[in-house]
Amino acid sequence: EVQQIMAGTLPSGSSVRVIAVPLGLLVNGSLRPLWGFAGIYWRATFLIVVAFTWVTAGLLLWSCVAGIPSLSLLSEIVCFGSVTTMYVLMPVAIVRLFGNKNATFLCALFNTADSLAAILGAPVAAFCSSIYGWPATLRMFSVVPAVVALITLFLMPAEEVDRAKKEKGDSKLLKVEAL
């Protein structure tokens, strides 16, 4: 999808079209350990809300700066670096919210939904962009992470962080647990 967006919004000679996907994947993979580390100390659902708010902001910014190579690249990096939380933190949130007993099945459902989104997302985005253009398509697609953030914020119960650390009196954990 990113290659299609860059091709549809940037001049044909733009070097950003060449580096966008590799750089986005590098950012995506590099930030996974950071999000995982943050998940030790903060609630996974809180971090998912933050990240998907950033994805929404990145898509909206991208829709406004389409055609400006450096800002389009920045928008893509914000999206790639933030969306990676779902792969790192969603399984953590599932275990914390629903327990080990249900985790395997629920993680399988999550992965199935992710696969369906990957299969259907590109053709739907291409169809929408052929009718409305990429800026409008990016604005339309920004609704999805916004809804994920809102559902996570308002409908998910607060998950418990590592009880063993709380019982040992890890003061760092207790200070940030309110987030």
Side-chain angles (χ1 to χ4, degrees), residues 88-161:
V88 177
L89 295 173
M90 191 60 77
V92 172
I94 287 170
V95 169
R96 289 179 183 170
L97 289 168
F98 303 105
N100 291 332
K101 181 180 178 183
N102 300 310
T104 305
F105 175 68
L106 293 173
C107 284
L109 284 178
F110 167 72
N111 287 325
T112 300
D114 180 56
S115 297
L116 288 173
I119 291 167
L120 298 175
V124 170
F127 175 75
C128 290
S129 71
S130 69
I131 296 171
Y132 305 109
W134 278 112
T137 301
L138 291 168
R139 283 190 294 277
M140 284 187 278
F141 274 62
S142 72
V143 171
V144 175
V147 168
V148 169
L150 289 170
I151 287 172
T152 305
L153 182 63
F154 293 112
L155 297 182
M156 299 298 263
E159 88 252 21
E160 290 294 321
V161 290

Side-chain angles (χ1 to χ4, degrees), residues 5-169:
I5 298 168
M6 292 297 188
T9 59
L10 296 177
S12 60
S14 175
S15 61
V16 170
R17 289 175 64 172
V18 176
I19 65 168
V21 173
L23 187 58
L25 292 173
L26 179 67
V27 168
N28 183 292
S30 298
L31 288 181
R32 288 179 188 210
L34 180 66
W35 285 112
F37 181 76
I40 294 170
Y41 296 100
W42 288 289
R43 290 187 168 118
T45 50
F46 169 76
L47 294 170
I48 290 167
V49 169
V50 169
F52 275 76
T53 301
W54 289 352
V55 173
T56 302
L59 289 170
L60 290 172
L61 175 64
W62 205 349
S63 75
C64 294
V65 300
I68 303 170
S70 59
L71 293 177
S72 292
L73 185 61
L74 174 66
S75 302
E76 181 234 2
I77 288 171
V78 167
C79 292
F80 267 61
S82 302
V83 78
T84 193
T85 58
M86 72 178 184
Y87 302 110
V88 177
L89 295 173
M90 191 60 77
V92 172
I94 287 170
V95 169
R96 289 179 183 170
L97 289 168
F98 303 105
N100 291 332
K101 181 180 178 183
N102 300 310
T104 305
F105 175 68
L106 293 173
C107 284
L109 284 178
F110 167 72
N111 287 325
T112 300
D114 180 56
S115 297
L116 288 173
I119 291 167
L120 298 175
V124 170
F127 175 75
C128 290
S129 71
S130 69
I131 296 171
Y132 305 109
W134 278 112
T137 301
L138 291 168
R139 283 190 294 277
M140 284 187 278
F141 274 62
S142 72
V143 171
V144 175
V147 168
V148 169
L150 289 170
I151 287 172
T152 305
L153 182 63
F154 293 112
L155 297 182
M156 299 298 263
E159 88 252 21
E160 290 294 321
V161 290
D162 190 357
R163 285 216 177 268
K165 288 189 178 184
K166 282 199 302 192
E167 290 169 5
K168 289 182 182 177

